[in-house]
Amino acid sequence: MQAPAENIITIVLATGNLDKVKELRPLLENVSPLFKVTTLKELGVEIEVEETEETLEGNALLKARAIFNHLSKTLPFIIALADDTGLEVDALQGAPGVYSARYAPTAEGIAPTYEDNVRHLLHSLNGITNRNARFRTVIALKGSIPSGDNSFGFEHTAEGVVSGSITTEKRGNEGFGYDPLFLVDSTARTYAEMSTAEKNTLSHRALALKKAIADLKNIIENHGTPLTSTQKHQ
Ligand code: IMP
C-alpha cells in the first residue's frame, strides 16, 4: 500500500559513495514503508563539512547536524545519517584513529592516497610485534519524526567495532583503504580477502548500522507515531 505523503520520513545519507548507499538503502527501507532513503547527490544539494572534531562521534554529528539544519526547512520529517570511521592501532596509541584518511604525510594541501596510508602504516609498525588493532565506525542520526500532532526531534549515535590485527604485508585484492592490512580476528582473513558481500555482513560499518537501526526503531516506538503505511498522521 502506498504510504500517505504527509507521513513520509526522508532519510538523507551524507555519503556519496555508491557502494555505501547500496548497502544502506535496503536495510533502512526495510524498517518502514514510510522511510524514503535518498542522498545529498540525489537531492541536488552540496554541503561541505570540514571534519574539525577530534573524535569519530564529533565528526559524524557535525555532518548529520549540517545536513539536518540545511534540509529540515523544506522537509517536515527528516533523518540525517552520517558516519565516520577510524582504524585504531594499539602500538600507535590508537593512531591513525580519527585521522585515518589523512595519515601519511604529504605536501601541503595534497590528500594521501589509500596506498600512501597503507605504506605509512606498515612503515610505522616496522619491527613491532604487537599488531593489535580495531576498526571503529560511529553513525550519527539527527532527526525530526511525526509524533501525534507534533514532531519529535532527536540526536543519536551508534557504534560498531571489529577487532583484528595489522599484517606485515598486504593480503587480498578486494575492498579499499586499509582492507589489505586488516586481519579480522573472527575469520583469520583480511577484509581484502573477502567479497564485498561477506565484508558487509560483519564489518564495523555493518555492525554500527545494525545498532543504529535497532536504536532508531526504539526511538520511533517510544516517541513517534507508529510506522505503518495505514496510520494516518492527523
Ligand atoms: P570514512 O570516515 O568512512 O571516510 O573513513 C576514513 C578513512 O578510514 C578512509 O579514508 C579509509 O582510509 C579508512 N576506512 C574507512 N572504512 C574503511 C574500511 O571499511 N576498510 C578500510 N579502510 C577504511
Side-chain angles (χ1 to χ4, degrees):
M1 183 186 294
Q2 192 76 22
E6 71 270 26
N7 269 0
I8 295 289
I9 301 174
T10 307
I11 307 212
V12 185
L13 307 180
T15 183
N17 177 326
L18 281 183
D19 287 327
K20 282 194 197 172
V21 175
K22 245 195 252 167
E23 183 187 343
L24 295 175
R25 196 192 298 266
L27 290 170
L28 286 162
E29 286 185 342
N30 234 357
V31 175
S32 162
L34 300 185
F35 278 8
K36 181 174 174 289
V37 179
T38 188
T39 62
L40 288 175
K41 201 167 176 195
E42 287 169 357
L43 290 172
V45 174
E46 256 188 62
I47 301 175
E48 275 296 316
V49 182
E50 222 188 312
E51 298 188 354
T52 50
E53 294 290 324
E54 287 180 4
T55 61
L56 299 174
E57 187 180 35
N59 281 332
L61 276 169
L62 266 188
K63 289 183 264 185
R65 285 178 189 147
I67 293 165
F68 180 87
N69 291 341
H70 189 90
L71 293 173
S72 59
K73 293 169 204 133
T74 44
L75 295 165
F77 302 121
I78 169 185
I79 299 170
L81 185 154
D83 68 324
D84 203 21
T85 295
L87 173 64
E88 301 167 352
V89 181
D90 286 351
L92 303 174
Q93 290 73 48
V98 73
Y99 304 109
S100 292
R102 307 160 263 166
Y103 182 47
T106 50
E108 179 81 30
I110 308 226
T113 62
Y114 288 147
E115 189 53 39
D116 292 337
N117 286 331
V118 160
R119 225 178 303 122
H120 189 58
L121 182 58
L122 284 176
H123 175 74
S124 306
L125 288 177
N126 196 14
I128 295 176
T129 49
N130 175 6
R131 322 269 308 179
N132 292 340
R134 68 205 59 76
F135 257 116
R136 188 185 304 277
T137 290
V138 175
I139 288 183
L141 304 166
K142 180 163 173 76
S144 167
I145 54 173
S147 176
D149 288 344
N150 296 306
S151 60
F152 175 77
F154 66 92
E155 234 178 47
H156 187 75
T157 58
E159 186 176 90
V161 180
V162 170
S163 301
S165 58
I166 305 300
T167 52
T168 50
E169 57 187 25
K170 293 203 287 178
R171 278 173 50 176
N173 299 310
E174 302 296 322
F176 67 97
Y178 299 95
D179 278 351
L181 299 185
F182 189 75
L183 193 68
V184 178
D185 278 347
S186 61
T187 67
R189 278 175 293 139
T190 67
Y191 274 150
E193 291 175 311
M194 299 175 194
S195 65
T196 307
E198 185 182 1
K199 182 184 168 193
N200 287 346
T201 61
L202 53 79
S203 78
H204 43 290
R205 205 168 1 263
L207 295 182
L209 184 67
K210 264 188 218 158
K211 177 84 175 45
I213 286 177
D215 293 348
L216 185 55
K217 282 183 180 165
N218 274 333
I219 291 170
I220 291 168
E221 214 172 281
N222 290 326
H223 301 284
T225 302
L227 288 184
T228 60
S229 58
T230 49
Q231 179 86 26
K232 272 264 178 209
H233 180 60
Q234 302 296 318

